[in-house]
Amino acid sequence: MMFASILLLLAACGTDNTEKTGSGSATQESDTFTIGLEAGYPPFNWTQMDDSNGGVKLKGNAEYAGGYDVEMAKKIAEGLGKELVIVKTEWDGLVPALTSGKIDAIMAGMSPTKERKETIDFSDNYYTSNFVMVVKKGGPYEGAKSIQDLKGAKVTGQLNTSHYGVIDQIEGVKKQTAMDNFPAMRVALESGKIDGYVSERPEGISASSANENFVMVEFTDGFKASEEETAVAVGLKKDSELTEKINEILAKVSEEERQEIMDNAIKNQPAAE
């Protein structure tokens, strides 16, 4: 009888612990909306040292994140009735973080390309832009009208992005090794290691605003790219229950409001170091 009682007691404890664990996990999932971003791609996202201009503290970090992605993430979190949590994650680590469950979504200026859709799902677009080039002000490529004017130029783009792929459309270009992030490309441009890097218009405006030595070049005869390569959407797990909910929230944010948020992000970005 005593042995049977002990077994019953252990079983009861086990059930209680299981329920608590399950409840705790579910509560955590229902209370937070956790996104991953680089915090290094202004004006979409950047790192700052305080909560000025709506900055959100990074999880496990003394720093804060700001930018267009952060502001749009706030709207989504509010619409979901959840607390926004941001995890600073390297670009190549974003998809693994999502698929492993470390984060609920990617909001990092990521384009919903065909290749990425093989691994993850995407929401509707929350921004659409076009490709530009960032070069040195006063340099030989500042007045370029066509991408073919960059013949012989040392050009790069971010690793594993469409930015890097479209460089091949420039005949005779000296395509450089892809770089991990935009801060690295800005440093390379400043030092003369490269003549330019491919970006999207918001980042081009951001770069030229933050550094008086940079200029953004918009081409009359530019890169050929599909909308999926220049659009930005929320990356989500395959068949995520969040997709439909997020699309409903995004549908309520007008184009005018999105542009206002982007304009403010460009204005509020940290100055170049």
Side-chain angles (χ1 to χ4, degrees), residues 134-140 142 186-187 189-192 194-197 204 206-217 272-273:
V134 178
V135 301
K136 273 283 191 72
K137 182 178 286 186
E142 180 180 358
R186 291 186 182 189
V187 169
L189 180 58
E190 182 77 67
S191 68
I194 60 172
D195 296 312
Y197 65 84
S206 171
S208 54
S209 299
N211 190 323
E212 61 181 10
N213 296 320
F214 294 169
V215 64
M216 177 184 71
V217 177
E273 294 180 3

Side-chain angles (χ1 to χ4, degrees), residues 86-273:
I86 303 179
V87 180
K88 188 173 184 177
T89 311
E90 290 296 325
W91 179 259
D92 278 355
L94 287 168
V95 172
L98 177 64
T99 56
S100 69
K102 183 179 179 182
I103 58 176
D104 299 317
I106 299 169
M107 294 191 69
M110 182 174 279
S111 298
T113 61
K114 182 180 178 181
E115 291 76 17
R116 292 187 184 120
K117 286 179 179 178
E118 293 176 2
T119 308
I120 62 175
D121 284 345
F122 284 92
S123 71
D124 294 336
N125 300 337
Y126 64 90
Y127 198 80
T128 303
S129 186
N130 58 289
F131 290 140
V132 298
M133 188 83 73
V134 178
V135 301
K136 273 283 191 72
K137 182 178 286 186
Y141 304 106
E142 180 180 358
K145 302 298 182 186
S146 165
I147 59 173
Q148 304 309 330
D149 294 336
L150 274 292
K151 181 179 181 179
K154 295 177 291 183
V155 177
T156 191
Q158 188 178 27
L159 184 69
N160 294 330
T161 65
S162 302
H163 303 173
Y164 192 65
V166 298
I167 296 173
D168 294 331
Q169 296 177 23
I170 306 172
E171 295 179 12
V173 71
K174 293 179 180 176
K175 189 176 184 180
Q176 304 296 294
T177 303
M179 296 190 176
D180 290 335
N181 53 60
F182 280 82
M185 288 189 286
R186 291 186 182 189
V187 169
L189 180 58
E190 182 77 67
S191 68
K193 184 178 179 180
I194 60 172
D195 296 312
Y197 65 84
V198 178
S199 186
E200 292 177 36
R201 191 172 186 276
E203 196 281 335
I205 296 173
S206 171
S208 54
S209 299
N211 190 323
E212 61 181 10
N213 296 320
F214 294 169
V215 64
M216 177 184 71
V217 177
E218 294 186 89
F219 304 101
T220 53
D221 177 21
F223 294 105
K224 303 295 186 289
S226 63
E227 182 177 318
E228 71 172 18
E229 293 177 308
T230 55
V232 170
V234 183
L236 297 153
K237 273 187 176 181
K238 283 287 185 183
D239 302 315
S240 171
E241 63 180 19
L242 290 173
T243 306
E244 185 177 348
K245 296 175 184 176
I246 288 174
N247 285 340
E248 290 174 359
I249 296 166
L250 291 176
K252 297 175 183 176
V253 186
S254 68
E255 286 300 320
E256 291 77 13
E257 187 175 0
R258 296 181 193 202
Q259 193 54 56
E260 182 181 356
I261 294 170
M262 178 58 80
D263 290 344
N264 285 331
I266 292 171
K267 181 180 69 175
N268 294 332
Q269 65 170 331
E273 294 180 3

Side-chain angles (χ1 to χ4, degrees), residues 15-65:
T15 302
D16 187 49
N17 285 341
T18 302
E19 286 175 354
K20 283 181 181 177
T21 303
S23 174
S25 176
T27 301
Q28 185 178 10
E29 288 177 5
S30 63
D31 286 350
T32 59
F33 175 55
T34 303
I35 68 163
L37 46 73
E38 293 175 280
Y41 179 34
F44 286 98
N45 55 78
W46 63 70
T47 301
Q48 59 187 54
M49 300 312 297
D50 55 37
D51 62 357
S52 59
N53 299 315
V56 175
K57 197 170 189 305
L58 291 162
K59 183 179 180 181
N61 197 312
E63 299 170 324
Y64 292 73

